[in-house]
Amino acid sequence: MISDNINLDKLLSDIDQQIEILMAIAGDSAVLIEQLRILSEARDMLLSQEMELHRLAELIDPEMLEDHSTLAERNQGNSGFD
């Protein structure tokens, strides 16, 4: 998988490698099978989270956003602590 996030790609690659190794050695070991399940779920969740972040980023219209630093500065000026 190639995404915009090289760190995510590296993490997914590492998880895939661990899954591959565990599949080869797990056999009937309940502990290794559980570890395999957890790694697979973690991988799926990371991919789901990445897709959700892209979906949310597409919904944000940069022209509709205010400059929040300016908003914070305005609020400080009205706080009465000056």
Side-chain angles (χ1 to χ4, degrees), residues 4-52:
D4 297 339
N5 185 341
I6 195 161
N7 292 325
L8 176 64
D9 290 340
K10 175 68 173 129
L11 179 59
L12 290 173
S13 175
D14 289 348
I15 290 173
D16 288 340
Q17 215 171 24
Q18 290 178 33
I19 287 172
E20 196 174 311
I21 291 168
L22 280 173
M23 286 177 68
I25 65 172
D28 292 333
S29 172
V31 172
L32 294 180
I33 291 170
E34 180 64 10
Q35 182 66 29
L36 183 59
R37 184 190 67 76
I38 291 170
L39 282 171
S40 294
E41 284 182 10
R43 184 184 190 288
D44 292 343
M45 291 299 291
L46 286 168
L47 289 172
S48 176
Q49 183 180 30
E50 182 71 6
M51 289 187 330
E52 184 68 8

Side-chain angles (χ1 to χ4, degrees), residues 63-76:
E63 294 179 12
M64 297 297 291
L65 294 176
E66 282 189 53
D67 180 3
H68 292 288
S69 62
T70 305
L71 181 61
E73 290 169 1
R74 267 188 273 142
N75 286 339
Q76 275 184 340

